[in-house]
Amino acid sequence: MRLLHYLAVACLLAGECLAQLPDYYKTVNRVTWVVGNIDKVRQAWEAFGLSDIQEYPNIQLTGEFRGRPVTVYAWQITGHLGNLTIDMIQPAEAQANAYTSFLGKHGDGILAAMHELPSRQALDAEILRMKSLGVGVLQQVTVQRGQVPVTYTYFDTEPDGKFALGLVYAPTKAPAPTAPATVTHFGSVIWDAAAVSAYWEKLGFPAFPMQHATPRADSRYRGKPLSLAFEVGFQRHAQFRYEWISPPPSPPNIYADYLNKRRREGIQHIGILVDDLPKSVAAYEKLGYHVHQAGAWGDVGKPGSGQYAYMDTDSAGGISVELVRSY
């Protein structure tokens, strides 16, 4: 612990290493998904493929929220959506905390992408590094999992980075999902891409230069033809790709819908790889969810091309599913 502390201090004094990204950010351990009605959202996402669910009906998390002592009472489930681990949390209406604050501002949705730390010393060092970059801890809480204490640290990155950067530490590591890599990316929508990219670059993450996506004749929005040009950029520092989309306010499109309806910028969809797009769409439609927006890229059917369909699953948890067929 002392060595890591001294190294961090040395970097601060030298004015160097401030934006050097630790290796544990190369892997997303899980996401923290906050919901107002966990029973409703769980039922829907189980039908979408959420599996291996563990229930924690009455948990107590203790720590600090914005530097003040906090005790959070909540209901939680943990499950796997293919290769993605999801912690779904419904906080009780009590003392203010990161979960209730997120729900009050934005409704259901993904609060944070979490990265697993190798040690408590690494946690202390990263808090110090982030502080040197002007980023404080939004909330740090600990919960008992049997005999093992698990600590969740959320940095206050959402205002500028559009989601909270999170760290999870436990003396015993949780087993990683063994399912195929069906989840490919997290898709966020934002207004000012240059500002968001510069913010993450300041913290040591790769920038995401934006590219212009031109309209395609086969794009559709709510079943009607869509001529939509927008800007899109990518980060590929982890096993899940981060996609950043900056849309125009018109014509109507799923991205602008999210920005206006949710009153926020942030994670709008999860990308899921499928082998048969029509069959997968039909399975969702059988459950009562329909195509919100669809399109393609490249010369469909040839290497480097693909098709996609956004399903209107945001009514169950605030997140859309993007079904992706990649050739």
Side-chain angles (χ1 to χ4, degrees):
M1 179 176 180
R2 288 182 178 178
L3 177 59
L4 284 171
H5 178 76
Y6 291 152
L7 287 173
V9 171
C11 282
L12 290 175
L13 293 176
E16 301 172 351
C17 309
L18 294 183
Q20 183 175 343
L21 197 66
D23 283 345
Y24 46 77
Y25 284 122
K26 294 178 181 178
T27 303
V28 176
N29 175 267
R30 62 193 60 230
V31 294
T32 299
W33 192 329
V34 186
V35 299
N37 186 332
I38 202 166
D39 291 332
K40 174 187 173 182
V41 179
R42 171 184 176 166
Q43 182 179 15
W45 283 85
E46 275 191 277
F48 304 155
L50 187 67
S51 62
D52 305 323
I53 295 174
Q54 295 178 302
E55 299 183 8
Y56 306 100
N58 293 290
I59 61 172
Q60 181 177 312
L61 305 100
T62 57
E64 291 188 344
F65 170 61
R66 296 197 179 280
R68 296 184 177 182
V70 69
T71 299
V72 181
Y73 299 95
W75 295 263
Q76 178 183 325
I77 62 170
T78 296
H80 297 142
L81 186 66
N83 53 325
L84 174 65
T85 300
I86 293 173
D87 284 338
M88 196 170 285
I89 297 176
Q90 177 188 330
E93 294 181 6
Q95 191 174 3
N97 57 73
Y99 311 127
T100 55
S101 177
F102 182 88
L103 272 178
K105 290 179 181 178
H106 311 303
D108 293 0
I110 293 177
L111 164 68
M114 308 296 293
H115 305 267
E116 187 173 21
L117 291 155
S119 66
R120 182 75 196 200
Q121 294 93 323
L123 173 57
D124 294 337
E126 182 60 0
I127 290 173
L128 185 61
R129 186 186 80 92
M130 293 290 279
K131 184 178 180 180
S132 74
L133 297 170
V135 179
V137 172
L138 172 66
Q139 178 171 285
Q140 184 177 80
V141 287
T142 299
V143 63
Q144 287 292 133
R145 291 280 183 260
Q147 300 299 313
V148 179
V150 182
T151 298
Y152 298 95
T153 302
Y154 302 96
F155 288 109
D156 196 11
T157 56
E158 196 227 348
D160 295 312
K162 309 313 173 186
F163 64 86
L165 184 65
L167 303 175
V168 56
Y169 170 67
T172 304
K173 287 190 175 183
T178 56
T182 54
V183 174
T184 61
H185 68 276
F186 306 122
S188 295
V189 290
I190 50 179
W191 288 126
D192 189 344
V196 177
S197 180
Y199 178 77
W200 285 111
E201 190 176 16
K202 182 188 77 169
L203 302 186
F205 293 85
F208 48 92
M210 303 297 280
Q211 305 168 13
H212 188 68
T214 55
R216 287 182 58 108
D218 53 358
S219 296
R220 303 188 73 79
Y221 171 79
R222 297 193 181 276
K224 297 181 179 180
L226 171 66
S227 179
L228 177 69
F230 59 94
E231 304 299 315
V232 59
F234 300 95
Q235 290 171 305
R236 295 181 171 87
H237 59 277
Q239 84 275 31
F240 301 112
R241 186 174 74 250
Y242 289 78
E243 180 182 47
W244 298 88
I245 295 170
S246 182
S250 62
N253 62 86
I254 192 173
Y255 315 122
D257 286 351
Y258 177 87
L259 290 169
N260 294 324
K261 179 180 177 182
R262 292 287 168 184
R263 309 187 306 279
R264 70 174 295 233
E265 301 164 272
I267 298 175
Q268 177 262 340
H269 70 265
I270 294 175
I272 297 179
L273 200 63
V274 298
D275 294 325
D276 187 326
L277 186 60
K279 182 178 179 181
S280 297
V281 167
Y284 276 79
E285 288 181 333
K286 189 175 181 180
L287 296 169
Y289 300 92
H290 303 280
V291 176
H292 195 158
Q293 186 168 304
W297 71 92
D299 191 352
V300 175
K302 294 184 179 180
S305 68
Q307 297 168 287
Y308 62 87
Y310 290 99
M311 309 306 296
D312 61 355
T313 59
D314 61 309
S315 60
I319 297 294
S320 295
V321 168
E322 180 188 16
L323 300 174
V324 181
R325 173 65 170 101
S326 181
Y327 296 93

